[in-house]
Structure formats: structure tokens, C-alpha cells
Amino acid sequence: NAGVMQNPRHLVRRRGQEARLRCSPMKGHSHVYWYRQLPEEGLKFMVYLQKENIIDESGMPKERFSAEFPKEGPSILRIQQVVRGDSAAYFCASSPDRGSYNEQFFGPGTRLTVL
Amino acid sequence: AQKVTQAQTEISVVEKEDVTLDCVYETRDTTYYLFWYKQPPSGELVFLIRRNSFDEQNEISGRYSWNFQKSTSSFNFTITASQVVDSAVYFCALIFYGGSQGNLIFGKGTKLSVKP
């Protein structure tokens, strides 16, 4: 019973390039959440998705960031034209069903470094 | 405002000492859940506990115990007889009923170093 999987674990991009981060939720989980952890900071919520729907993107920067969770395949967090300030650890979490109160199972994170 | 405060940025103890990590939260809602997560040096997040706002009973799990006090809006975490493997960053988090579904609000974390 695999946990939440994220890839790549480490990603290096130059300024202006695009970054694509992938998240496969636990089997049977249809709710995915993305969080960002800046250096020496706690995690900050970015977006909450269900299959083919964005439920809440209140934590997403207005520009350059987008997320999707298609009917088939992993959830993708996409960052266009990356800047140095995007360097952070990006965590994905999943939960089994609707409800804020379920335990969220976290993936190992993707560490993005922008040169 | 909904907020989680972990006032202790870093704590250093010697193995076998007891240590308490503080967590204070703010929320206007009467229905909410509180969580603790552990982030070891390897970087992943490990779930430790979830507690709902209607259950103030303290909980013990092995060397770990949690003290939830609504009167002081605190949800403190104690490690008894600490071990080197307990060295990690510990995060307290909150979800409130009136908030975004799934939006965990994290504190900034407390870095615990347990020295042999």
C-alpha cells in the first residue's frame, strides 16, 4: 500500500524555466492538497483539488502558478517562468474523502532550487 | 484570525530528558481539529496525532503525550525520556470548520535537537 508519491524529489531550474511537480495520492484517495515550505518556515497551503476540480486555490500566487488533478494520472503543480523566490519544498498531501478533518497523508516533498 | 503559534523556535536537550513543545492557536470557530506532525532531517512529514475541539481528554502514546486545553487555546506535546531519533522539526497545525476545506494552518515549527 504505497503512500503519497511525489516526483521528482529534487528539481533544479534556471530562472525563466518551467517547473512541473507531480503528486500521486494514496490509493483510494481523491483529495489532493499542495503546500509550500519556504526555508525556515512552516508549511503554507496553496491549493486543494479533487478529481478534475479545483476546490480552493486561495493560497496560490496569482500569476505563474497553476494546478490540476485530471481524471487519470497524477496531480500536477506547474510553475511557469520560475524565479529565485520559488525555491522551496513543495509538499503534496492526500485524504480519502470529503471533509476537512481527515488526516492528510503527506508525500516526501519536491525540493525546487532555482538558480 | 486563524493562527497557530509555536513560540519555541529551537530546543536542545540531552537524551533521556523530558521535553514539552508548546502550541497555541487562535480560531473563532467552535469546531476545529488540531494536529501534530514530525519532520525528521530526511524531510518527510509524519503524522503524529489529530484531536477534535470537543475532546479535551489528554492522550498518551508510548513516550509521547498531548495536553489539550481549550481554556488556554493550547495543544502542547511532551516527549518523555527523549531519544536522539526524536531530533526533528515538529509542527502543530489547525483546521477549522469555517475555513477552506482541507486548509491546514501550520505553525512555524519547533526544531528539537536531542544530544546523546
Side-chain angles (χ1 to χ4, degrees):
Chain A
N1 187 12
V4 178
M5 302 185 67
Q6 291 187 248
N7 67 80
R9 295 290 305 274
H10 299 274
L11 182 61
V12 179
R13 284 287 177 265
R14 296 191 181 282
R15 279 179 297 170
Q17 291 184 319
E18 179 179 287
R20 279 183 180 242
L21 288 62
R22 293 174 184 76
C23 168
S24 297
M26 285 182 72
K27 189 175 180 181
H29 288 194
S30 58
H31 299 246
V32 165
Y33 318 84
W34 285 93
Y35 293 83
R36 177 166 65 174
Q37 183 179 27
L38 293 168
E40 309 300 324
E41 292 280 325
L43 284 77
K44 296 273 196 256
F45 168 78
M46 299 181 76
V47 62
Y48 165 42
L49 311 104
Q50 294 176 31
K51 287 281 186 181
E52 301 183 279
N53 283 306
I54 297 175
I55 306 303
D56 180 0
E57 56 182 349
S58 58
M60 288 279 269
K62 298 297 179 199
E63 297 176 347
R64 303 186 297 108
F65 284 72
S66 62
E68 62 176 4
F69 188 17
K71 190 175 180 182
E72 301 290 338
S75 175
I76 307 282
L77 179 67
R78 183 179 175 214
I79 311 173
Q80 295 177 289
Q81 299 175 325
V82 295
V83 301
R84 289 223 173 101
D86 297 332
S87 294
Y90 292 82
F91 287 91
C92 166
S94 72
S95 66
D97 53 32
R98 185 172 182 84
S100 307
Y101 316 124
N102 285 311
E103 172 193 343
Q104 294 182 16
F105 295 83
F106 281 83
T110 293
R111 272 127 189 103
L112 172 65
T113 301
V114 180
L115 301 177
Chain B
Q2 323 288 341
K3 188 179 175 183
V4 174
T5 301
Q6 294 180 255
Q8 305 148 309
T9 307
E10 289 193 45
I11 300 176
S12 183
V13 299
V14 177
E15 212 170 14
K16 296 184 184 173
E17 283 185 22
D18 298 347
V19 58
T20 295
L21 309 182
D22 297 333
C23 172
V24 174
Y25 61 92
E26 295 175 33
T27 177
R28 288 186 223 96
D29 290 81
T30 57
T31 304
Y32 51 90
Y33 277 68
L34 295 161
F35 300 77
W36 275 95
Y37 284 87
K38 174 182 179 180
Q39 187 176 41
S42 50
E44 73 274 22
L45 278 162
V46 178
F47 167 81
L48 295 177
I49 191 171
R50 177 185 67 193
R51 176 51 51 87
N52 77 57
S53 54
F54 298 108
D55 181 4
E56 284 194 74
Q57 197 168 6
N58 291 332
E59 182 155 340
I60 297 174
S61 175
R63 295 184 297 106
Y64 295 170
S65 62
W66 291 269
N67 184 336
F68 177 28
Q69 302 224 349
K70 285 180 78 169
S71 60
T72 55
S73 297
S74 65
F75 187 42
N76 296 338
F77 172 32
T78 297
I79 302 175
T80 303
S82 59
Q83 300 175 3
V84 173
V85 293
D86 296 326
S87 296
V89 180
Y90 290 85
F91 292 99
C92 182
L94 162 76
I95 284 180
F96 59 98
Y97 183 78
S100 163
Q101 295 281 321
N103 182 355
L104 272 168
I105 298 169
F106 282 85
K108 290 194 174 183
T110 297
K111 183 176 181 180
L112 174 64
S113 298
V114 181
K115 301 188 188 316

